[in-house]
Amino acid sequence: MALLKKINHRARTDQNSGFGTNANSYGGRFVNKDGTPNIEKRGMHFFRRISWYHTMIDMPNWKFMSILFIFYIVLNFIFAVVYYAIGIEHLDGIEQSQSILTQFGQAYFFSAQTFTTVGYGHISPTGFLTSALSAAEALIGLLSFAIATGLFFGRFSKPTAFLKFSHNALISPYGEGTALTVRLVPFKNTNFTDANAKVTLGMSVEENGTMTNKFYSLPLELDHINALSLSWTLVHPITEDSPLYNMNEEDFRKNHGEILVFITTFDDLFSNTVAARTSYTFNEIIYGAKFEIMYNRSKDGTKTILHLDKLNNFSNSKFN
Amino acid sequence: MALLKKINHRARTDQNSGFGTNANSYGGRFVNKDGTPNIEKRGMHFFRRISWYHTMIDMPNWKFMSILFIFYIVLNFIFAVVYYAIGIEHLDGIEQSQSILTQFGQAYFFSAQTFTTVGYGHISPTGFLTSALSAAEALIGLLSFAIATGLFFGRFSKPTAFLKFSHNALISPYGEGTALTVRLVPFKNTNFTDANAKVTLGMSVEENGTMTNKFYSLPLELDHINALSLSWTLVHPITEDSPLYNMNEEDFRKNHGEILVFITTFDDLFSNTVAARTSYTFNEIIYGAKFEIMYNRSKDGTKTILHLDKLNNFSNSKFN
Amino acid sequence: MALLKKINHRARTDQNSGFGTNANSYGGRFVNKDGTPNIEKRGMHFFRRISWYHTMIDMPNWKFMSILFIFYIVLNFIFAVVYYAIGIEHLDGIEQSQSILTQFGQAYFFSAQTFTTVGYGHISPTGFLTSALSAAEALIGLLSFAIATGLFFGRFSKPTAFLKFSHNALISPYGEGTALTVRLVPFKNTNFTDANAKVTLGMSVEENGTMTNKFYSLPLELDHINALSLSWTLVHPITEDSPLYNMNEEDFRKNHGEILVFITTFDDLFSNTVAARTSYTFNEIIYGAKFEIMYNRSKDGTKTILHLDKLNNFSNSKFN
Amino acid sequence: MALLKKINHRARTDQNSGFGTNANSYGGRFVNKDGTPNIEKRGMHFFRRISWYHTMIDMPNWKFMSILFIFYIVLNFIFAVVYYAIGIEHLDGIEQSQSILTQFGQAYFFSAQTFTTVGYGHISPTGFLTSALSAAEALIGLLSFAIATGLFFGRFSKPTAFLKFSHNALISPYGEGTALTVRLVPFKNTNFTDANAKVTLGMSVEENGTMTNKFYSLPLELDHINALSLSWTLVHPITEDSPLYNMNEEDFRKNHGEILVFITTFDDLFSNTVAARTSYTFNEIIYGAKFEIMYNRSKDGTKTILHLDKLNNFSNSKFN
């Protein structure tokens, strides 16, 4: 693969990528489409390797709710077994004449009523052991809900960058030459200010017989804007200093490489910096195309309308 | 419109405004008076376009409380219907001899007592289905209050910039010449430090036959102060380098343009950076006026009194 | 007052103090000893001028707890009145034969049991109105505790700079000349890194017949340290460029002026920048004194002992 | 100790370490292995010196849970004593014919049922004093759980740097010469970006007959990386400008000194900057060794595998 020869010797390498130069480890992609690094960790016990808070905060809603319900069902079952083992006669209000299944069911619901502190009282504990167990269960219940409260708050107050990236990066006409362009847009009712962008080219290439990871900074026409309210097209002009200067359509098709995009911006509501990442492999780059403007004036002339569905719309504009 | 010709060729353009140069989209205002961008998003389903957390956090108190109450009333109604459908005879304590409406009402209040976990117990569930439903309802109730707790905390801990801007921007006498001045003041018991200001002129002007958005930085005499305790008057001296240098009173009256003001400051109590924005259209600019000082010494000479009601007070001072 | 003449003409003024130059407002102190600005706000209704969250978060514990208890007592009283007005006969379990006071008391405690959702059930609501009221009260109770939870968390998670300043600033011997020194120390089990200090001289002086506020930067020998673990002595060397260069002991005694100190540092546990401020009026400056070292090695030689009670200890060291 | 003579006179001292130059206080280590400063605070009452929030947030889980349980058990005991003192006859549902111990036990569990607001109601308060006490207890219970909720959330939402450092620092071959190397790795499912490293050499040496603390900056080949996804080896090349330039293996073995390492990075999920510190004493430095690469490509070639257990793996590579 002679890609390295094509790289402009003037191109500025980016030594701060954090991915190292050892290419034996290269797994075909540095960064996944959703911005997470394409890395798997091993050699440490799962429980030590996992931040359970990060895990609980990051999982989808249905999974989180399922875990809560299953926890509730299982914990009540365990307590019901212990109540039953201590003796159903210590739960006042359960008739001894009923079937074992019914008695166990009532112990189960007594447990649920204790855990949630609803405590109707038609069943109530007598005797030291059962009373102590129910006192402990009520405490555990409340602490569980304390934890759940924290998790819920953590989940929805987690500062998230509600940014969408165009699915493709384009090589577009730009002045006399060409430029690499990527588009992004805020898609929710947020208010972003002070947005910064950083774009890096990453490649795993052969150098002197061994595979090496090479990273190059791709300078942008504008790498900072004050307000990120409309769509933002990141434009890397392919000048003589660009590592992409000598590459043609075929080079992108035949080689492996990756454009890493990293955005940070300040979210007014969270009052916090939020970050978003994505990457475009060479086969996600469209050569000779141009993003269409995705906003226009409203009919009454008093607003700008931003069309989120046009984020990836582009027109072909082959270069001659 | 020959406004563009009036713009000083020395003026420094601001390419980082984030509003783009395509003026077909210009809706008469870049930024609304309250600082939100004057943009409407379309082309994506409402639920995906909305961050429900941002929405719940940003709405007024009465609306938020109403939503909580309506949610409570409706959810209890749904549960009451299911309890009733399972069979009112499984709710111990409800007399079967009563009217259907009364029975339903009692099922409704049993639901409320379960949802809030008050669980008096004069009505209590029997049978598997009703017991299981009430166990689920108690869980759902507690989780709902967990979510409400998070929302309440999110609402009142949201770092907000309690800053008020003068309603008008003024063209004031300044040294030998004039200056554009805007005033702002912290109006609550907050403690702001490290305040920064950025002022931009935005215009939608005709250039070579097409409408273009033009943005110019307006440098300030002071764009940073260490403590924002008193009022702060932002002063843009209209020197030869200012884009406003050639503009007279009539130019402001006859043309469309906008002064964008962006403030960030550190709130000691939130220990967080907070941001505030506003904008002044040309017809909100008063030509030949000067802000009156809005603070004075207390009678006993031991304090400075800041008069918040004088924020927009100015005296006319026509230029000769 | 000829203080202004004493000020070195080389001294660098600090235009970013945020206190303005208009000295008619000067209330004898710019910043209070506890770091709050010495300013009172007027001209706006109390409720609009107050951020109730800031107020609830900043008040002392005893006051906060008292407000919670009083709120609980008063709210239950109001509900008890309404229960009583609807009719005590709708509260099952209260004997009608008792005295009015006893009945009211029982309505009161029923209200408390509903508000806290303890709901023993020996008293329970019957009839639509009483049932609906108790359902509403249980909701209000839970929402109140949701708010209280948020306030508690807000109170103790509020990033606070646990820093203590020496009570006095000293004019100490320093190399061949003298220096203004101030000492501060972290006094709790916190871990501060990246600490920055800024010191400003503020004076209200006569200039051309009118009183003017003047501010001067006081450059420090070190204005940044990587770890703030031990005591930190801020040293402003009084060189020829210092505004204090010509001032002698009498000048400090006879004139009014103020040293403003502003610290920001990163608290590892809060993972947040925290800020602290204080000020020293000229009569809090001790001329000819030197801070004593406030730490030493532990007896077993394995630790450094920091003596917090020695923060303001200094030895006299009159200059010849 | 002639170590100071060995220090290159070109070496850049680090005056911002925050540890002071007074070496009488040096306790054999500036910073502990876990990153906390090796300092003990005295001279102020324990309760004023301790931030109880920091303490509750920082303690291990088992300790935190134990405190909650003990608090619950003790508080119920106190309330039970008061209920008993007021008179067991005011607790409806407790049979007077039982033994004192049984009666007290039932008062105890009534207290637990009130504190957790489970309120079964088989025991219920009568009379003003007992009713008022139980109303107060229910309030205290809910406020306790409000505080517990905040503490739980504070504990698991505390931004923590899940970074592991190699146990040893190495003096490795580097180009023509040598370098000091330290390795670190993110070991949990976090996403770190914008990582910065600062390395300082700290020594307590004899200078002109008195012990002095000396600090030197150790410049790194790379002190910033954009993404901290893989392992990061900090490399300080021992050039002519390095304070370590003249030191050989014996110098490290015979002298006391310390390498301080400080990392800050941005955690995407917390959306917050997190910090980690560690230190290596001279006897934790291995002379003539080199870290082995700790990641490789997955078998299917689509991922990079990071082996956390190889963090401290190194091969000997004695210099000739």
Side-chain angles (χ1 to χ4, degrees):
Chain A
M1 217 178 293
L3 184 59
L4 197 56
K5 284 179 198 154
K6 287 259 180 172
I7 296 294
N8 201 321
H9 67 280
R10 288 196 193 175
R12 191 160 60 89
T13 59
D14 178 359
Q15 301 190 306
N16 303 329
S17 72
F19 284 97
T21 57
N22 181 279
N24 291 330
S25 66
Y26 182 63
R29 187 147 207 169
F30 295 104
V31 169
N32 294 316
K33 201 75 186 164
D34 67 356
T36 57
N38 185 23
I39 289 168
E40 193 186 312
K41 294 189 177 89
R42 287 197 195 153
M44 193 183 276
H45 191 281
F46 178 79
F47 287 115
R48 295 199 51 211
R49 216 173 60 210
I50 284 296
S51 159
W52 71 269
Y53 180 64
H54 280 66
T55 308
M56 293 299 277
I57 292 300
D58 250 359
M59 65 177 54
N61 278 325
W62 67 267
K63 213 169 168 182
F64 180 68
M65 294 306 294
S66 304
I67 286 177
L68 291 188
F69 270 81
I70 289 166
F71 174 81
Y72 179 63
I73 289 168
V74 170
L75 205 79
N76 281 326
F77 184 82
I78 295 170
F79 271 104
V81 167
V82 184
Y83 285 122
Y84 196 85
I86 293 175
I88 211 74
E89 67 276 13
H90 290 117
L91 288 176
D92 240 29
I94 300 186
E95 285 176 42
Q96 306 281 334
S97 58
Q98 291 167 310
S99 73
I100 286 179
L101 192 67
T102 307
Q103 286 185 11
F104 184 80
Q106 287 182 308
Y108 186 90
F109 291 120
F110 169 75
S111 164
Q113 290 155 23
T114 302
F115 189 79
T116 58
T117 78
V118 80
Y120 300 115
H122 65 294
I123 305 170
S124 61
T126 62
F128 178 76
L129 271 184
T130 301
S131 295
L133 187 64
S134 65
E137 189 182 8
L139 177 66
I140 291 168
L142 282 171
L143 296 183
S144 301
F145 288 108
I147 293 172
T149 302
L151 289 178
F152 271 111
F153 183 66
R155 284 176 67 85
F156 48 68
S157 76
K158 171 180 62 141
T160 309
F162 293 119
L163 286 175
K164 265 194 151 23
F165 292 93
S166 60
H167 185 75
N168 297 108
L170 311 182
I171 305 287
S172 312
Y174 178 79
E176 301 291 297
T178 58
L180 176 82
T181 58
V182 166
R183 189 156 65 175
L184 57 113
V185 73
F187 67 102
K188 295 217 172 189
N189 51 337
T190 53
N191 208 356
F192 292 127
T193 51
D194 271 327
N196 294 287
K198 203 181 281 177
V199 179
T200 302
L201 165 68
M203 294 184 307
S204 193
V205 291
E206 202 181 319
E207 192 180 29
N208 308 328
T210 57
M211 294 300 289
T212 316
N213 292 338
K214 291 272 182 187
F215 294 91
Y216 299 93
S217 294
L218 300 185
L220 299 178
E221 196 193 32
L222 282 182
D223 59 7
H224 173 84
I225 56 174
N226 298 332
L228 179 45
S229 313
L230 286 173
S231 60
W232 187 16
T233 306
L234 306 179
V235 176
H236 163 64
I238 303 181
T239 64
E240 292 191 359
D241 294 336
S242 167
L244 306 173
Y245 188 59
N246 296 319
M247 291 173 66
N248 58 27
E249 186 165 9
E250 209 184 310
D251 292 324
F252 284 110
R253 219 174 44 231
K254 291 205 177 158
N255 290 297
H256 291 283
E258 200 172 339
I259 308 291
L260 311 176
V261 179
F262 183 46
I263 305 286
T264 58
T265 182
F266 186 85
D267 181 314
D268 262 24
L269 192 129
F270 291 126
S271 264
N272 212 331
T273 297
V274 291
R277 266 205 304 194
T278 194
S279 97
Y280 299 90
T281 55
F282 276 5
N283 58 29
E284 286 162 348
I285 294 175
I286 292 178
Y287 198 86
K290 205 182 151 173
F291 286 114
E292 290 173 352
I293 289 174
M294 63 185 283
Y295 51 85
N296 65 268
R297 200 189 316 203
S298 66
K299 275 182 190 159
D300 60 0
T302 62
K303 285 206 162 197
T304 303
I305 309 291
L306 183 62
H307 298 276
L308 301 170
D309 49 348
K310 295 186 180 167
L311 173 58
N312 204 43
N313 284 17
F314 52 83
S315 54
N316 286 334
S317 57
K318 287 284 170 203
F319 316 118
N320 44 339
Chain B
M1 219 178 291
L3 184 59
L4 198 56
K5 284 181 199 155
K6 287 258 180 172
I7 296 293
N8 201 320
H9 67 281
R10 288 195 193 174
R12 191 159 62 88
T13 59
D14 178 359
Q15 301 190 304
N16 303 329
S17 71
F19 284 97
T21 56
N22 180 279
N24 291 332
S25 65
Y26 181 62
R29 187 147 207 169
F30 295 103
V31 169
N32 295 317
K33 201 75 186 165
D34 66 357
T36 55
N38 185 24
I39 289 167
E40 194 187 311
K41 295 190 176 86
R42 288 196 195 155
M44 193 183 276
H45 190 281
F46 178 79
F47 285 115
R48 296 198 50 211
R49 216 172 61 211
I50 284 296
S51 158
W52 73 268
Y53 180 64
H54 280 65
T55 307
M56 292 299 277
I57 292 300
D58 249 0
M59 65 176 56
N61 278 326
W62 66 266
K63 213 168 167 183
F64 180 69
M65 294 307 293
S66 303
I67 287 176
L68 291 187
F69 271 81
I70 289 167
F71 174 80
Y72 180 62
I73 289 168
V74 170
L75 205 78
N76 281 327
F77 184 82
I78 295 169
F79 271 104
V81 167
V82 184
Y83 284 121
Y84 196 85
I86 294 174
I88 211 74
E89 69 275 13
H90 291 115
L91 288 175
D92 241 29
I94 299 187
E95 286 176 44
Q96 306 280 333
S97 58
Q98 290 168 310
S99 73
I100 286 179
L101 192 67
T102 307
Q103 286 185 10
F104 184 81
Q106 288 182 308
Y108 185 90
F109 291 120
F110 169 75
S111 162
Q113 289 155 24
T114 302
F115 188 79
T116 59
T117 77
V118 80
Y120 298 115
H122 64 293
I123 305 170
S124 61
T126 61
F128 179 76
L129 271 184
T130 301
S131 296
L133 186 64
S134 64
E137 188 181 8
L139 176 66
I140 290 167
L142 282 171
L143 296 183
S144 301
F145 288 108
I147 293 172
T149 302
L151 288 179
F152 270 111
F153 182 66
R155 285 176 66 84
F156 49 68
S157 77
K158 171 180 62 141
T160 309
F162 294 119
L163 287 175
K164 266 194 151 24
F165 292 94
S166 60
H167 185 74
N168 297 109
L170 310 182
I171 304 287
S172 313
Y174 178 79
E176 301 291 296
T178 59
L180 176 82
T181 58
V182 166
R183 190 155 66 174
L184 57 112
V185 73
F187 67 102
K188 295 217 174 189
N189 52 337
T190 53
N191 208 356
F192 291 127
T193 52
D194 272 328
N196 294 287
K198 202 182 280 177
V199 179
T200 301
L201 166 67
M203 295 185 305
S204 193
V205 291
E206 202 181 318
E207 193 180 30
N208 307 328
T210 57
M211 294 301 288
T212 316
N213 291 339
K214 291 273 180 187
F215 294 92
Y216 298 93
S217 294
L218 301 184
L220 298 178
E221 197 194 31
L222 282 183
D223 59 7
H224 173 84
I225 58 174
N226 299 331
L228 178 46
S229 313
L230 286 173
S231 61
W232 186 16
T233 306
L234 307 179
V235 177
H236 163 64
I238 303 182
T239 63
E240 292 191 359
D241 294 337
S242 166
L244 306 174
Y245 188 58
N246 297 318
M247 290 173 67
N248 58 26
E249 188 166 6
E250 210 184 311
D251 292 325
F252 283 109
R253 220 174 45 231
K254 290 207 176 155
N255 291 295
H256 290 284
E258 201 171 339
I259 308 291
L260 310 176
V261 178
F262 183 47
I263 305 287
T264 57
T265 182
F266 185 84
D267 181 314
D268 262 24
L269 192 129
F270 290 126
S271 264
N272 212 331
T273 298
V274 290
R277 268 206 302 194
T278 193
S279 97
Y280 299 91
T281 55
F282 275 6
N283 57 30
E284 286 162 348
I285 294 175
I286 292 178
Y287 199 85
K290 206 181 150 174
F291 285 115
E292 290 172 353
I293 289 174
M294 62 186 284
Y295 52 86
N296 64 269
R297 201 189 315 200
S298 66
K299 275 181 192 162
D300 61 358
T302 62
K303 285 206 163 195
T304 304
I305 309 291
L306 182 62
H307 298 276
L308 301 170
D309 49 348
K310 295 186 180 166
L311 173 59
N312 203 45
N313 284 17
F314 52 82
S315 55
N316 287 334
S317 58
K318 287 285 172 204
F319 316 118
N320 43 339
Chain C
M1 218 178 294
L3 185 58
L4 198 56
K5 284 178 198 157
K6 288 259 180 172
I7 296 294
N8 201 320
H9 67 281
R10 287 195 194 173
R12 192 160 59 89
T13 60
D14 179 358
Q15 302 190 304
N16 303 329
S17 71
F19 284 97
T21 57
N22 181 279
N24 290 331
S25 67
Y26 182 62
R29 187 147 207 166
F30 296 104
V31 169
N32 294 317
K33 202 75 187 164
D34 67 355
T36 56
N38 186 23
I39 288 167
E40 194 188 312
K41 294 191 178 86
R42 287 198 195 153
M44 193 183 276
H45 191 280
F46 177 80
F47 286 115
R48 296 199 50 212
R49 216 173 61 211
I50 284 296
S51 158
W52 72 269
Y53 180 65
H54 279 66
T55 308
M56 293 299 277
I57 292 299
D58 250 358
M59 65 176 55
N61 278 326
W62 67 265
K63 212 168 168 183
F64 179 69
M65 295 306 294
S66 304
I67 286 177
L68 291 187
F69 271 81
I70 289 167
F71 173 81
Y72 179 61
I73 290 168
V74 170
L75 205 79
N76 280 326
F77 184 82
I78 294 170
F79 271 104
V81 167
V82 183
Y83 285 121
Y84 195 85
I86 294 174
I88 212 75
E89 69 275 13
H90 291 114
L91 289 175
D92 240 28
I94 300 186
E95 286 176 43
Q96 306 280 334
S97 58
Q98 291 168 308
S99 74
I100 285 178
L101 192 66
T102 308
Q103 286 185 10
F104 184 81
Q106 289 183 306
Y108 185 90
F109 291 120
F110 169 75
S111 163
Q113 290 155 22
T114 302
F115 188 79
T116 60
T117 77
V118 81
Y120 298 114
H122 65 294
I123 305 170
S124 61
T126 60
F128 179 76
L129 270 184
T130 302
S131 295
L133 187 63
S134 64
E137 189 181 8
L139 176 66
I140 290 167
L142 283 171
L143 296 184
S144 301
F145 287 108
I147 293 172
T149 301
L151 288 178
F152 270 111
F153 182 66
R155 285 176 66 84
F156 49 67
S157 76
K158 171 180 61 140
T160 308
F162 293 119
L163 287 175
K164 265 195 152 21
F165 292 93
S166 60
H167 185 74
N168 296 110
L170 310 182
I171 304 287
S172 312
Y174 178 80
E176 301 291 297
T178 59
L180 177 83
T181 59
V182 166
R183 188 156 67 174
L184 57 112
V185 74
F187 67 103
K188 294 216 173 189
N189 52 336
T190 53
N191 208 355
F192 292 127
T193 51
D194 271 327
N196 294 287
K198 202 181 281 177
V199 179
T200 302
L201 166 67
M203 295 184 307
S204 192
V205 292
E206 202 182 318
E207 194 180 28
N208 307 329
T210 57
M211 295 300 289
T212 315
N213 291 339
K214 291 271 181 188
F215 294 91
Y216 299 92
S217 294
L218 301 184
L220 299 177
E221 198 194 31
L222 281 182
D223 59 6
H224 172 85
I225 57 174
N226 299 331
L228 178 45
S229 313
L230 285 173
S231 61
W232 187 17
T233 305
L234 306 180
V235 176
H236 163 65
I238 304 183
T239 64
E240 292 191 359
D241 294 337
S242 167
L244 306 174
Y245 188 58
N246 297 318
M247 290 172 68
N248 58 27
E249 187 165 8
E250 209 185 310
D251 292 323
F252 283 110
R253 220 176 43 232
K254 291 207 177 155
N255 290 296
H256 290 285
E258 201 171 340
I259 307 292
L260 311 175
V261 179
F262 183 47
I263 306 287
T264 57
T265 181
F266 185 84
D267 181 314
D268 262 25
L269 193 130
F270 291 127
S271 264
N272 212 330
T273 298
V274 290
R277 266 204 305 193
T278 193
S279 96
Y280 299 89
T281 55
F282 274 7
N283 58 29
E284 286 163 348
I285 294 175
I286 292 178
Y287 198 86
K290 205 181 151 175
F291 286 114
E292 289 172 352
I293 289 174
M294 60 185 286
Y295 52 86
N296 64 268
R297 202 189 315 201
S298 67
K299 274 181 191 162
D300 61 359
T302 61
K303 285 207 165 194
T304 304
I305 310 290
L306 182 62
H307 298 275
L308 300 171
D309 50 347
K310 295 186 179 167
L311 173 58
N312 204 44
N313 284 17
F314 52 82
S315 54
N316 287 333
S317 58
K318 288 283 171 204
F319 317 118
N320 43 341
Chain D
M1 217 177 292
L3 185 59
L4 197 56
K5 282 179 198 155
K6 288 258 180 172
I7 295 294
N8 202 321
H9 66 281
R10 286 196 193 174
R12 192 160 59 88
T13 59
D14 178 358
Q15 302 190 304
N16 303 329
S17 73
F19 284 98
T21 56
N22 181 279
N24 290 331
S25 66
Y26 182 62
R29 188 149 206 167
F30 296 105
V31 169
N32 294 316
K33 202 75 187 163
D34 66 356
T36 56
N38 186 23
I39 289 167
E40 194 188 312
K41 295 190 176 88
R42 288 198 193 152
M44 193 182 275
H45 190 282
F46 177 79
F47 286 115
R48 294 199 51 213
R49 215 173 61 212
I50 284 296
S51 158
W52 71 268
Y53 180 64
H54 280 65
T55 308
M56 293 299 277
I57 292 300
D58 249 0
M59 66 176 55
N61 278 327
W62 67 267
K63 213 170 168 182
F64 179 69
M65 294 307 293
S66 304
I67 286 178
L68 291 187
F69 271 81
I70 289 167
F71 173 81
Y72 179 61
I73 289 168
V74 170
L75 204 80
N76 281 326
F77 184 81
I78 294 170
F79 271 104
V81 167
V82 184
Y83 285 121
Y84 196 85
I86 293 175
I88 211 75
E89 68 275 14
H90 291 116
L91 289 176
D92 240 30
I94 300 187
E95 285 176 44
Q96 305 281 334
S97 59
Q98 290 169 309
S99 74
I100 286 179
L101 192 67
T102 307
Q103 286 185 11
F104 183 81
Q106 288 183 305
Y108 186 90
F109 291 121
F110 169 75
S111 163
Q113 289 154 24
T114 302
F115 189 80
T116 58
T117 76
V118 80
Y120 299 114
H122 65 294
I123 306 171
S124 60
T126 61
F128 178 76
L129 271 183
T130 301
S131 295
L133 186 64
S134 65
E137 189 182 8
L139 176 66
I140 290 168
L142 283 171
L143 296 184
S144 301
F145 288 108
I147 292 172
T149 301
L151 289 178
F152 270 111
F153 182 66
R155 284 176 68 84
F156 48 68
S157 76
K158 171 181 62 142
T160 309
F162 294 119
L163 288 175
K164 264 194 152 24
F165 291 93
S166 60
H167 185 73
N168 297 110
L170 311 181
I171 305 286
S172 313
Y174 178 80
E176 302 291 297
T178 60
L180 176 83
T181 58
V182 166
R183 189 156 66 174
L184 57 114
V185 73
F187 66 102
K188 295 217 172 188
N189 51 338
T190 53
N191 208 355
F192 291 127
T193 52
D194 271 328
N196 293 288
K198 202 182 281 178
V199 179
T200 302
L201 166 67
M203 294 184 307
S204 193
V205 291
E206 203 182 317
E207 193 180 28
N208 308 328
T210 56
M211 294 301 289
T212 316
N213 291 339
K214 291 273 180 187
F215 294 91
Y216 299 92
S217 294
L218 300 184
L220 299 178
E221 198 193 31
L222 281 183
D223 58 7
H224 172 85
I225 57 174
N226 299 332
L228 178 46
S229 313
L230 285 172
S231 59
W232 186 17
T233 305
L234 306 180
V235 176
H236 163 65
I238 304 183
T239 64
E240 293 191 358
D241 294 337
S242 167
L244 306 173
Y245 188 58
N246 297 318
M247 291 172 67
N248 58 27
E249 186 165 7
E250 210 184 309
D251 293 324
F252 283 110
R253 219 175 45 231
K254 291 207 177 157
N255 291 295
H256 291 284
E258 201 172 339
I259 308 291
L260 311 175
V261 179
F262 183 47
I263 306 286
T264 56
T265 182
F266 186 85
D267 181 313
D268 262 24
L269 192 129
F270 290 126
S271 264
N272 212 331
T273 297
V274 291
R277 266 203 306 191
T278 193
S279 96
Y280 298 90
T281 56
F282 275 6
N283 58 29
E284 287 163 347
I285 294 175
I286 292 177
Y287 198 87
K290 204 181 151 175
F291 286 114
E292 290 172 352
I293 289 174
M294 62 184 283
Y295 51 86
N296 64 268
R297 202 189 313 201
S298 65
K299 275 182 192 159
D300 60 0
T302 62
K303 285 208 163 193
T304 303
I305 310 291
L306 182 62
H307 298 276
L308 300 170
D309 50 347
K310 295 187 179 165
L311 173 59
N312 204 44
N313 284 18
F314 51 83
S315 55
N316 286 334
S317 58
K318 288 285 170 202
F319 317 119
N320 43 340

